[in-house]
Amino acid sequence: MALLLKPSPSSSTQTCCGCSTAAAQSPLALVLASSPSSLSRRPLSSLLIQLGRPRRGRGKGKRVAIGCVASARSEAPSSSTGSSSAAASGSAAMAAGAARVKAVATIKATVGGFLDSLRPSRAIDDVKDLIGRSLYLELVSSQLDAKTGQEKPTLRSYAHKVADDDDKVVAYEADFDVPAGFGAVGAVLVTNEHHAEMFLEDIRLMPSSSDDDGAPLLAIRCNSWVQPKSGGGGDAPGKRVFFANKPYLPSQTPPGLRSYRRKDLEQKRGDGRGQRKSTDRVYDYDTYNDLGDPDDGADKARPVLGGSKQFPYPRRCRTGRPMSTKDPKTETRSGDNYVPRDEAFSEEKQLQFSVKTLRSVLRAAVPAVQSTLIDPDLGFPSFFVIDKLFEDGVELPKAEQLGFLAGVLPRLLQKLRDSPGDQVLLFDRPANVKKDKFAWLRDEEFARETLAGMNPYAIELVREFPLKSKLDPAVYGPAESAITAEVLEQQMGRVMTVAEAVKQKRLFMLDYHDLFLPYVHKIRAQEHTTMYGSRTVFFLCDDGTLRLLAIELTRPASPAQPQWRRVFTPSTDTTESWLWRMAKSHVRAHDSGHHELVSHWLRTHCAVEPYIIAANRQLSEMHPIYQLLHPHFRYTMRINALARTALINAGGIIELSFSPQKYAMELSSVAYDQLWRFDTEALPADLIRRGMAEEDPNAEHGLKLAIKDYPFANDGLLIWDAIKGWVRAYVSRFYPDAGGVAGDAELQAFWADVRTVGHGDKKDAPGWPALDSPDSLAHALTTIIWVASAHHAAVNFGQYDFGGYFPNRPSIARTNMPVEEPVDAGALAAFVDNPDQALRECFPSQVQATLVMAVLDLLSTHSPDEEYLGGLETAPWSDDAGVQAAYGEFNARLKEIEGIIDGRNADRRLRNRCGAGIVPYQLMKPFSEAGVTGKGIPNSTSI
């Protein structure tokens, strides 16, 4: 919507560049059609654009179209925000007079930005501020010149600093004389003539005669780093364009903005050449060719993931670093992993992340130092020592004592040298330990956590019996499982036959047989780890809980040994019961690996990055779909880059601490090849794929769950439907019919980029929907938003609660089953003599356990600047009343869902989430406070 300004009774003078030289400001009046709305002065991040509720002014005279009005953010978006048709008619208004306005730019003060007083060039910037030549602004008209058909010349002015708000924000002002007929301002060009980057929060156009507390005529949300002119590139070095908040489909772009829209996308795509700098804002693709480090030794060489049939994989952001001299296919690991500048953490997030990381590393380092680091594979001498991690404080070691861990996160250890820290550090007691310290020993808890724990994406329905492998029997042995009907029926108390249980959908399993079996011998060739293929079978009881029936562990044949496999079951026999506990520990390690490598890393972090790159390469920031998706991409690229630095790289924490070790990322590539499809990333389709639900139009959510009390699915479907409702409403406002979707060139280019480049190794796989209707578009967008937000929350923010006490979720199994053939007589004798010690020796070492505990504590933590799904801090900046109303309904529904989840957690009939010592299932509660809370759904995969 454009506002109409009363022209000045006397003309002003402008220089040839458009800078104002008038001595007196022209009076302005807003000619509007509804009641006034006040607006206090604050950064635009605290405002909500609501068109159609403008401020009424006084005066008569000719009118000049300038821009949009912003009103104060209300507690919840209101449906009474006016009509988009009124906005359209206002935008079309032209004027015959002239007016004077001022632009107010809000700059956030940053530690390393242009307010850094330690820089030598700061004095130069201070002089530029003094003379008012440090920030150069240009107003861009949305319209072409009626006579020439060309873009109108921009209105230009230097801004001068006018306010410094306690070192938090700095305001700059520039004055403009807007000539008659200039038209609606559709964008502002910004040139930073300081010597350092600045973080631009917003730009507001104000009546020149008003103070900064008045309502802006046009509000532009920026929230972006602007590099100094001397370090820029492209057609206009250092020049950035920021569009007005009104979204436009490509075909609807005002003619005066079309070239700016196109050039901005071209700049973000880059040319695919050269090494990227940390100040760049270029989005491009590359394979995962930087996980290995062959220049550091042959043992650090790793295969390239992506770009081959052997190791298909999603793409990451291209960094352009030089290739290794020892392996030309591998990129060197020098320096930090590049992400586009605006994808970096905020300073608040970075500070929290650094402090939390430092404390977490210290928590891991202290037990390592206490073990004197003679043997990094040293296990825990007793469960009492494990308990001491949570019960006794330990004095911090000196930095020079941290030799082993210095190679893991050296920069964080440098921070330790620079800061004294606390005298005593403790691991916080995880939620499950607070509730029931011995729950990990019980079969019931093992089974319950498949439905309401950290990896609810693994359990599946048994649809046929006997269980069969899809692997080649000539290589891996008989396809049919060793779990027989007799074994299961005995464990079921012979209440029914296996055939009846399968027919009634009462049998479920964790199937880690085919995924892990081909890697068993490779993994066993490494030191201090082992692996089996495993199957674990459960029975659904009448009370809705699962009973753990049997575990099958398999070692495939090798040139030196025949296949070995055995089925373990609960038993009252002492020896068999300890073997049962060890078998459960192996399955828990398998589940931990599957969770971290597949359910968590692959399906959220890794799969989402191509969506982010494609959106920034193909969707203009003016595009309504870009504006819808953008909040769901926050921080993901940065946290992924950090993961490649220290978590999933050769010799990183995953390889140090999880069973697959150097083959961890290869296994995630195998899972991507065998299991990943875009369509089954939608929650309903995922449940149907695993047999955990079937379509039923008469059931809630259109699905009938195989297990009625399945906390993740019950709560997750509420969130899925809420997201779907919001996205459908949003899409319908911009795409009334299929033609609009199919004819949107940017949208189709985005989807082609996702399918053929970002996920190019699966471009010909089934499951890719055609974006050919509003419904298909809404479903695809709902899937992306679900994965980035709720899926990630479900598998991330409970990691410390369920895995902080590592016997419940060991990351690695280090010893073979003592009865594995050929039997090691010494190991079997030691097991019989002290089964407690044998179980602890199977657990992670002290170094592995405490390092993983520290990382899980870090990953489970909400940042103070977290932005949550449906939160008002990321409400859409749209001029459409329908969009605002739909988002308000979305926010209200999520708050309602919180209450529903609280009610379910208090319902003692739901035994998988309520009962003595049970951790209530809160991972799908949308909102949370900062810290480790076991709840909260951030908008994005942000940690």
Side-chain angles (χ1 to χ4, degrees):
M1 173 181 173
L3 294 185
L4 304 181
L5 305 181
K6 182 179 178 181
S8 167
S10 60
S11 61
S12 299
T13 305
Q14 273 188 322
T15 65
C16 59
C17 69
C19 299
S20 172
T21 60
Q25 294 182 345
S26 304
L28 293 174
L30 305 181
V31 183
L32 300 164
S34 60
S35 61
S37 172
S38 63
L39 179 68
S40 62
R41 189 203 180 281
R42 55 185 121 167
L44 192 60
S45 56
S46 67
L47 306 178
L48 179 64
I49 299 298
Q50 291 183 310
L51 299 182
R53 299 180 65 186
R55 184 176 177 184
R56 185 181 298 276
R58 304 175 189 170
K60 301 178 181 179
K62 297 180 180 179
R63 304 168 177 180
V64 179
I66 292 295
C68 311
V69 133
S71 65
R73 181 193 291 273
S74 58
E75 288 302 312
S78 169
S79 61
S80 60
T81 55
S83 70
S84 57
S85 60
S89 62
S91 295
M94 292 297 291
R100 170 167 263 210
V101 298
K102 64 180 177 181
V104 181
T106 304
I107 311 295
K108 183 176 181 180
T110 60
V111 174
F114 81 109
L115 296 179
D116 182 0
S117 61
L118 300 180
R119 283 186 300 99
S121 60
R122 172 62 194 270
I124 298 175
D125 289 346
D126 285 343
V127 172
K128 287 189 173 184
D129 279 340
L130 185 64
I131 63 176
R133 297 185 68 85
S134 56
L135 189 65
Y136 194 49
L137 304 180
E138 301 176 53
L139 305 187
V140 179
S141 173
S142 297
Q143 302 172 5
L144 297 178
D145 187 287
K147 295 181 179 178
T148 67
Q150 303 297 313
E151 293 172 358
K152 295 181 179 180
T154 58
L155 306 182
R156 308 172 186 180
S157 179
Y158 276 104
H160 54 282
K161 186 164 68 173
V162 294
D164 194 330
D165 183 14
D166 298 327
D167 294 329
K168 293 181 181 179
V169 294
V170 177
Y172 281 74
E173 283 187 8
D175 293 316
F176 295 90
D177 286 325
V178 182
F182 185 74
V185 174
V188 176
L189 304 182
V190 178
T191 302
N192 172 13
E193 298 200 4
H194 283 89
H195 283 74
E197 64 182 359
M198 60 174 62
F199 189 82
L200 180 60
E201 286 194 342
D202 59 68
I203 301 171
R204 294 169 297 149
L205 290 190
M206 313 285 292
S208 190
S209 58
S210 71
D211 58 29
D212 288 350
D213 294 326
L217 311 174
L218 174 67
I220 299 178
R221 178 181 55 175
C222 304
N223 290 330
S224 180
W225 291 95
V226 180
Q227 301 305 316
K229 178 180 179 181
S230 58
D235 294 336
K239 187 175 294 188
R240 285 285 307 280
V241 60
F242 292 97
F243 297 105
N245 297 324
K246 180 177 176 60
Y248 290 101
L249 296 176
S251 62
Q252 299 169 346
T253 308
L257 303 179
R258 289 172 186 165
S259 70
Y260 292 99
R261 181 173 187 147
R262 173 179 52 80
K263 290 176 182 178
D264 191 51
L265 278 174
E266 290 172 351
Q267 290 176 2
K268 292 175 76 174
R269 293 184 194 121
D271 59 9
R273 296 181 297 179
Q275 183 172 348
R276 298 266 62 89
K277 304 186 297 293
S278 62
T279 55
D280 290 344
R281 59 189 290 263
V282 173
Y283 295 76
D284 202 357
Y285 300 98
D286 208 343
T287 59
Y288 279 77
N289 62 357
D290 64 342
L291 300 179
D293 192 3
D295 293 342
D296 193 39
D299 61 321
K300 294 287 185 69
R302 297 292 182 270
V304 174
L305 302 185
S308 69
K309 291 184 178 180
Q310 183 181 11
F311 297 118
Y313 218 56
R315 299 300 190 263
R316 64 168 176 90
C317 182
R318 178 184 175 276
T319 60
R321 291 178 294 198
M323 306 308 285
S324 164
T325 56
K326 294 185 178 180
D327 180 6
K329 295 181 180 179
T330 298
E331 185 176 274
T332 56
R333 294 179 55 80
S334 58
D336 195 16
N337 283 328
Y338 163 79
V339 295
R341 186 65 182 95
D342 285 341
E343 304 297 336
F345 288 163
S346 69
E347 291 194 332
E348 184 177 18
K349 171 81 169 182
Q350 184 62 49
L351 178 63
Q352 180 272 337
F353 190 84
S354 297
V355 171
K356 186 74 177 182
T357 304
L358 177 59
R359 293 178 64 88
S360 296
V361 170
L362 289 176
R363 287 168 175 163
V366 169
V369 171
Q370 290 182 336
S371 71
T372 71
L373 298 179
I374 294 174
D375 181 8
D377 300 305
L378 184 67
F380 286 88
S382 68
F383 279 95
F384 173 74
V385 174
I386 297 174
D387 293 341
K388 283 176 68 66
L389 295 171
F390 310 103
E391 295 172 1
D392 293 340
V394 285
E395 186 177 349
L396 293 184
K398 296 179 180 179
E400 55 267 22
Q401 293 178 280
L402 299 175
F404 174 79
L405 289 169
V408 179
L409 293 171
R411 282 174 291 183
L412 291 172
L413 296 181
Q414 181 61 46
K415 290 185 179 180
L416 168 63
R417 296 183 180 93
D418 297 337
S419 59
D422 298 333
Q423 294 303 306
V424 173
L425 277 177
L426 277 173
F427 277 105
D428 297 325
R429 285 198 304 160
N432 60 349
V433 174
K434 291 179 183 178
K435 286 282 188 179
D436 185 350
K437 179 178 177 180
F438 302 105
W440 71 277
L441 288 167
R442 295 199 306 271
D443 292 354
E444 293 84 357
E445 180 63 14
F446 182 105
R448 189 190 74 84
E449 288 187 18
T450 66
L451 303 173
M454 273 322 301
N455 194 21
Y457 276 98
I459 190 168
E460 59 185 276
L461 179 70
V462 173
R463 286 175 264 206
E464 62 177 8
F465 196 87
L467 306 175
K468 293 182 179 179
S469 169
K470 296 179 181 179
L471 298 173
D472 184 354
V475 177
Y476 299 105
E480 190 169 305
S481 169
I483 299 175
T484 64
E486 172 61 25
V487 168
L488 296 181
E489 288 168 4
Q490 180 180 351
Q491 293 299 317
M492 289 189 295
R494 303 195 184 280
V495 296
M496 64 180 66
T497 67
V498 166
E500 291 170 334
V502 171
K503 184 177 181 180
Q504 295 179 30
K505 299 184 178 181
R506 303 283 288 270
L507 289 182
F508 299 85
M509 70 173 172
L510 295 177
D511 187 356
Y512 298 134
H513 183 275
D514 286 10
L515 179 62
F516 290 143
L517 200 67
Y519 277 82
V520 165
H521 291 304
K522 292 181 180 180
I523 293 170
R524 285 182 168 219
Q526 302 173 101
E527 295 182 349
H528 307 295
T529 188
T530 192
M531 180 57 74
Y532 296 99
S534 68
R535 296 184 180 101
T536 306
V537 181
F538 307 85
F539 175 70
L540 179 61
C541 302
D542 291 340
D543 64 2
T545 62
L546 291 175
R547 178 188 299 172
L548 184 51
L549 301 181
I551 293 172
E552 177 188 24
L553 299 179
T554 302
R555 181 199 69 205
S558 71
Q561 294 178 321
Q563 182 196 59
W564 176 85
R565 59 182 181 171
R566 176 168 168 175
V567 177
F568 300 88
T569 58
S571 176
T572 56
D573 177 82
T574 303
T575 301
E576 290 299 319
S577 67
W578 274 103
L579 288 172
W580 174 242
R581 287 173 182 168
M582 289 196 71
K584 288 196 297 180
S585 185
H586 278 274
V587 173
R588 281 179 164 130
H590 299 167
D591 190 63
S592 292
H594 177 271
H595 161 260
E596 209 63 77
L597 297 171
V598 181
S599 300
H600 185 195
W601 164 257
L602 173 67
R603 294 183 63 181
T604 62
H605 290 265
C606 187
V608 167
E609 186 155 341
Y611 308 147
I612 303 173
I613 299 172
N616 281 279
R617 287 173 61 84
Q618 304 297 347
L619 296 177
S620 167
E621 294 176 15
M622 303 174 72
H623 200 291
I625 301 306
Y626 179 92
Q627 296 183 12
L628 173 70
L629 290 176
H630 185 254
H632 304 287
F633 296 156
R634 186 178 189 234
Y635 296 154
T636 302
M637 293 181 72
R638 181 56 181 160
I639 198 66
N640 288 0
L642 290 171
R644 302 202 321 273
T645 299
L647 197 65
I648 63 174
N649 59 300
I653 292 171
I654 293 293
E655 290 195 1
L656 285 173
S657 308
F658 284 75
S659 291
Q661 293 189 356
K662 66 182 290 185
Y663 297 103
M665 294 306 290
E666 277 192 38
L667 274 168
S668 73
S669 171
V670 172
Y672 180 68
D673 184 35
Q674 296 179 359
L675 304 174
W676 192 90
R677 286 176 43 152
F678 180 83
D679 57 345
T680 55
E681 292 305 288
L683 177 61
D686 173 82
L687 294 170
I688 293 169
R689 176 183 65 84
R690 292 186 284 121
M692 300 303 292
E694 59 184 25
E695 292 183 351
D696 182 350
N698 298 317
E700 186 180 13
H701 314 294
L703 292 178
K704 179 182 179 182
L705 294 177
I707 300 176
K708 292 182 179 180
D709 183 14
Y710 183 0
F712 161 68
N714 297 133
D715 297 355
L717 286 169
L718 292 174
I719 300 296
W720 169 269
D721 279 357
I723 296 172
K724 180 176 69 175
W726 151 239
V727 173
R728 279 185 169 177
Y730 187 91
V731 167
S732 69
R733 301 300 291 184
F734 298 98
Y735 299 97
D737 53 43
V741 176
D744 186 332
E746 285 185 8
L747 180 67
Q748 295 302 326
F750 157 71
W751 196 236
D753 237 34
V754 168
R755 183 177 64 83
T756 64
V757 187
H759 285 277
D761 294 341
K762 304 208 79 171
K763 66 179 184 295
D764 298 320
W768 292 106
L771 298 192
D772 55 6
S773 68
D775 282 346
S776 64
L777 173 59
H779 187 78
L781 297 174
T782 300
T783 300
I784 292 172
I785 293 171
W786 162 264
V787 170
S789 58
H791 178 150
H792 179 258
V795 298
N796 184 75
F797 290 103
Q799 290 190 87
Y800 191 73
D801 283 347
F802 289 101
Y805 186 70
F806 66 86
N808 189 57
R809 289 189 65 79
S811 62
I812 189 172
R814 298 193 297 152
T815 61
N816 296 335
M817 293 294 293
V819 292
E820 180 183 328
E821 299 173 354
V823 174
D824 183 326
L828 181 58
F831 164 75
V832 173
D833 179 63
N834 192 340
D836 181 285
Q837 180 176 336
L839 180 59
R840 283 183 280 104
E841 289 175 349
C842 188
F843 284 159
S845 71
Q846 292 191 41
V847 170
Q848 289 170 326
T850 52
L851 189 58
V852 170
M853 290 164 67
V855 171
L856 297 185
D857 181 51
L858 170 68
L859 297 181
S860 301
T861 301
H862 288 295
S863 170
D865 73 338
E866 200 83 89
E867 294 179 352
Y868 294 96
L869 186 69
L872 296 182
E873 65 273 11
T874 53
W877 295 78
S878 171
D879 64 346
D880 191 289
V883 169
Q884 296 293 347
Y887 194 83
E889 292 172 5
F890 182 41
N891 173 268
R893 177 56 178 162
L894 291 174
K895 291 178 179 177
E896 183 181 2
I897 288 172
E898 287 209 316
I900 294 172
I901 292 174
D902 287 339
R904 289 172 172 176
N905 285 332
D907 188 343
R908 303 192 68 174
R909 295 171 298 175
L910 303 178
R911 299 181 62 175
N912 290 322
R913 65 192 305 157
C914 182
I918 290 179
V919 177
Y921 191 75
Q922 301 186 98
L923 289 168
M924 291 291 94
K925 291 187 70 173
F927 306 106
S928 173
E929 60 274 13
V932 178
T933 65
K935 61 183 178 181
I937 304 176
N939 262 323
S940 61
T941 303
S942 58
I943 186 66

